[in-house]
Amino acid sequence: MDNTWFLAALWVGLALVATLLAIWFKVSTALSEIVVGTVAQLIVAVLLGGAGLGAQTPWIGFLAGTGAIVLTFLAGAEIDPAVFRVKWKEATVVGLVSFFAPFLGSAAVAYYLLGWAPMAAWLAGVALSTTSVAVVYAVMLELGFNTTDYGKVILAACFITDLGTVIALGIIFAPFTVRTLVFVALSLAIFVVLPFVTPGIFRRYGGRVSEFETKFLLLALFAMGGLALWADSEPVLPAYIIGMVLAGTVGKDHALIRRLRTLTFGLLTPFYFLRAGSLVSVPALVAAPGALVVLFFAKMVSKLAGVFPSVRIFGHREGADVYYTLMMSTGLTFGTISALFGLNHGVITPAQYSHLVSAVIGSAVIPTMIANAWFMPRHLLPVPAASREPADAAVRPSGAPTS
C-alpha cells in the first residue's frame, strides 16, 4: 500500500479493534494487539498479497521502535525506590532466580531438544527469561496489591529479572569493540548526571503547555538509543536504566506519567505490538507446533522450579507463594523485544521467531489466568474503605500494559 495515510488508517483501525477486543474479553490490550497483528497480516497477505500490512515500512518501524523505547523507560520509571531499599534482599534473590532459571533451562531445551544453533538457543533463553512488568503492574493495580508491600516487592523483583535480561542481551549479542567502551563510559556518566540535573531543569522550565519535560526525556532516550545503535547494541537497553535512575523524579510526577502514558499507549505501542504480531508466521507455527509447546513448558517449568522455593524462603505462605511465583512467570514486552532483536540481527529464523513470540504470549496469558482464578491471596488485599485504588484505576489508560 503506497498511500501513507491509508496505511496509517489501517494500522490505527487495527489498534482500535484490538482495544475493543481487550475490553470485551478483559485481557491486556498489548496481548490483543499482537494477536490482531498476526491475524491481520495473514488475512491481508492472502487477500492483497505483497507486503501485507507493510510492517517493514521505515516510518512504521520508527514508531514501533519509539514505542518500545518509551514503554521500556516507563517500566523503569515506575519502580518505587523506597520499597526497593527496604525489600532489596528479597527482590534481588527472587529476581535473579527468576532470570537465571528460565535463561539456562530454556537455552538448554532449545539447544538439546530442538536442535537450535548455540546463539539461537541463547537468544531463546534470554527471550523466555523475562517477567512482564506491564502485565504484573496492571494486575497489581486492578486488584489493589500495588498499595501493599507484597505487591510492591513483586514489582521490584520483576525489575531485577528484566535487568538481567537486558544485560544478558547486551553482553551475549552486542559485539565488544572500542565503540562498546565509549558507549558504556558515556552511559555511566549520563546515568549519574541525569538524576541530579533533571529535577532542577523541570522546576525551572516545566509545567508549561509546551511540554518541556516530555521533549527533554525524549531527547535523552533518543540520544542514548542512537549511541547504543552506534555501538552495535540495542536502543531499548539504556531506556530501562534511564527510567530507573529518574524514578524518584519522573515516577513521582503522576501528571507527567499520565501524559507519557497517553502518548505511549495511544499512539506508539500499538505500532510496536501490532508489528510484533505481524511478523509471526502462522504457516511456520502450523508446520511445527511441537516447538511452541516445548518452549512454553521449558519456560514455565524452569520458572516454577526456581522461583517457588526462593519465594518461600522469605516467608510467603497460604497461596501468596504460588501467586507470587505465577506472576513472576509472565512475560511479554522484553520477550518480544529480545525475539525481535534476534530476528532483525539474523540470530534466529522467522520460524524460530514465531515459535518464541508465541511462547512468550502464552506465558503472558496462562499463568495470569491460573493465578487470579485459583491462587489469589485475598487476605493480603487492603481494606476497601482505606484503599485509594479506585482513584488510581480511574486514571489508568485502558489496557495499560503491559510491558
Side-chain angles (χ1 to χ4, degrees):
M1 188 179 294
D2 297 328
N3 188 313
T4 299
W5 299 111
F6 280 150
L7 186 57
L10 173 62
W11 279 69
V12 173
L14 292 174
L16 197 58
V17 170
T19 302
L20 290 174
L21 292 174
I23 294 172
W24 292 337
F25 293 101
K26 297 181 180 180
V27 298
S28 161
T29 303
L31 293 178
S32 67
E33 285 172 347
I34 293 175
V35 174
V36 167
T38 303
V39 175
Q41 171 67 16
L42 181 65
I43 294 174
V44 172
V46 170
L47 295 179
L48 303 179
L53 293 177
Q56 302 297 345
T57 304
W59 67 267
I60 290 179
F62 171 76
L63 288 179
T66 304
I69 289 174
V70 181
L71 183 62
T72 304
F73 165 78
L74 281 174
E78 297 202 44
I79 297 296
D80 189 334
V83 173
F84 188 78
R85 281 194 292 272
V86 174
K87 297 280 189 177
W88 69 271
K89 288 183 179 178
E90 178 180 343
T92 301
V93 170
V94 174
L96 288 177
V97 170
S98 173
F99 163 71
F100 278 109
F103 170 62
L104 298 175
S106 300
V109 168
Y111 181 75
Y112 290 109
L113 290 185
L114 299 180
W116 288 17
M119 294 307 288
W122 283 122
L123 186 83
V126 171
L128 297 176
S129 68
T130 60
T131 294
S132 174
V133 172
V135 169
V136 175
Y137 176 64
V139 172
M140 297 291 106
L141 205 59
E142 290 168 0
L143 299 178
F145 284 123
N146 64 305
T147 61
T148 67
D149 286 349
Y150 176 72
K152 291 177 180 177
V153 74
I154 292 178
L155 287 170
C158 292
F159 166 73
I160 296 296
T161 301
D162 283 349
L163 186 61
T165 300
V166 169
I167 293 174
L169 190 65
I171 292 177
I172 297 175
F173 297 101
F176 192 82
T177 63
V178 175
R179 291 187 177 189
T180 307
L181 289 176
V182 175
F183 169 59
V184 172
L186 288 177
S187 296
L188 291 176
I190 295 295
F191 297 154
V192 170
V193 170
L194 269 180
F196 292 100
V197 302
T198 303
I201 293 176
F202 280 12
R203 281 195 298 270
R204 182 175 179 83
Y205 300 107
R208 293 175 169 80
V209 178
S210 56
E211 289 289 349
F212 174 86
E213 298 96 327
T214 302
K215 294 169 183 171
F216 178 85
L217 294 173
L218 288 177
L219 171 62
L221 294 174
F222 285 163
M224 290 304 298
L227 185 63
L229 194 62
W230 172 78
D232 292 326
S233 186
E234 174 60 32
V236 300
L237 298 183
Y240 207 170
I241 308 298
I242 293 176
M244 182 186 68
V245 300
L246 292 181
T249 302
V250 178
K252 293 180 179 178
D253 189 339
H254 301 299
L256 176 58
I257 288 291
R258 283 199 296 273
R259 297 200 301 273
L260 289 173
R261 284 174 175 172
T262 300
L263 169 70
T264 306
F265 303 138
L267 174 65
L268 299 174
T269 55
F271 282 91
Y272 168 68
F273 288 115
L274 285 169
R275 185 173 184 269
S278 72
L279 296 177
V280 174
S281 171
V282 175
L285 292 178
V286 173
L292 164 62
V293 175
V294 169
L295 290 172
F296 173 75
F297 279 101
K299 168 171 181 170
M300 294 306 301
V301 171
S302 54
K303 276 271 190 181
L304 296 176
V307 174
F308 184 73
S310 64
V311 166
R312 288 180 65 86
I313 288 174
F314 291 96
H316 295 285
R317 298 289 189 278
E318 300 179 24
D321 45 0
V322 180
Y323 192 83
Y324 196 151
T325 303
L326 289 171
M327 284 293 101
M328 295 301 297
S329 302
T330 59
L332 184 60
T333 303
F334 275 104
T336 56
I337 286 175
S338 301
L340 197 57
F341 176 89
L343 178 65
N344 290 336
H345 289 77
V347 178
I348 57 176
T349 66
Q352 290 170 328
Y353 168 83
S354 299
H355 293 131
L356 266 181
V357 170
S358 300
V360 169
I361 294 172
S363 72
V365 177
I366 296 175
T368 306
M369 293 177 62
I370 294 174
N372 289 335
W374 291 296
F375 298 103
M376 187 188 302
R378 298 183 185 278
H379 62 284
L380 296 178
L381 286 171
V383 179
S387 174
R388 297 176 58 191
E389 184 52 24
D392 292 335
V395 298
R396 188 174 62 84
S398 175
T402 338
S403 98

